[in-house]
Amino acid sequence: AWSRKSGATLVAGIVCLLVSAGAGAAGSQGLMLLNSGMAHERLGQHEEALADFGRALAAGGLSKVDRVRTTFDRGVALDALERTAEAISEYSAALKLDARFAPALNNRANAYRRLGRLADAKKDYMAALASAQSSREYPYYGLGRVAEAQGDTKTARKYYVQALAANPGYVPASQSLAV
């Protein structure tokens, strides 16, 4: 049977295999640690993921795209650990590397919204919508949540409808409309 413990053992085994296979160059080591962090994140091992992402960045040799992704993933791990202010800092750092990286814009907006910084959240959701990288259902849904928090149910409903237009299977928007 698959468990987190067996998953962690598998991740450790893969990391050891890669190291012993000669993945010693900085770029290879950084990619190995990035992949290890992503595996830990999928297993819900957020502290381990955070450590791997930090080591991947420190190892150097990552492409700009991989640095953006690794920095963003550090934010995701911090968010999962409910370290929201630190997550915002990581999302912001990812955006310094790529100002139009929609996942970082959307996640930072979500964090701002949870902190009650609705104007900041709205600004980031709008920037995510303007990005060509955007999966539009997420920022539309977030804008609906902001409108709801401001007591504007009519606007919230409009954004939830737009989220469903972007992705008819997006359950959170369907649930919000049902309420």
Side-chain angles (χ1 to χ4, degrees):
W2 180 261
S3 68
R4 283 186 183 218
K5 185 175 181 181
S6 64
T9 303
L10 178 63
V11 169
I14 291 169
V15 170
C16 289
L17 180 65
L18 289 171
V19 170
S20 66
S28 297
Q29 184 179 18
L31 285 174
M32 175 194 63
L33 289 163
L34 169 58
N35 289 326
S36 176
M38 292 172 72
H40 279 116
E41 189 65 31
R42 285 187 187 101
L43 293 168
Q45 300 166 345
H46 308 297
E47 290 285 354
E48 293 87 347
L50 185 61
D52 282 343
F53 295 140
R55 287 192 296 266
L57 290 167
L62 294 175
S63 69
K64 181 180 176 182
V65 169
D66 287 333
R67 285 193 321 275
V68 171
R69 185 68 207 196
T70 304
T71 305
F72 167 77
D73 285 333
R74 280 182 52 82
V76 171
L78 288 162
D79 237 344
L81 293 167
E82 297 182 6
R83 293 164 55 183
T84 308
E86 292 171 87
I88 288 170
S89 292
E90 291 299 318
Y91 297 140
S92 296
L95 290 165
K96 284 183 182 174
L97 295 169
D98 180 356
R100 297 181 54 83
F101 187 59
L105 286 163
N106 197 71
N107 281 23
R108 187 173 71 177
N110 290 337
Y112 283 150
R113 182 180 42 77
R114 288 193 311 273
L115 293 176
R117 294 174 56 183
L118 301 180
D120 291 328
K122 187 173 182 176
K123 179 181 171 190
D124 275 359
Y125 287 133
M126 297 302 280
L129 282 172
S131 172
Q133 306 168 356
S134 180
S135 295
R136 301 176 72 75
E137 67 269 28
Y138 303 121
Y140 278 132
Y141 177 74
L143 287 165
R145 298 285 309 269
V146 168
E148 234 181 298
Q150 295 172 327
D152 186 351
T153 55
K154 182 178 178 182
T155 300
R157 184 170 180 72
K158 177 188 85 162
Y159 283 128
Y160 295 144
V161 167
Q162 288 177 295
L164 284 174
N167 178 355
Y170 189 56
V171 174
S174 296
Q175 291 173 335
S176 293
L177 281 171
V179 175

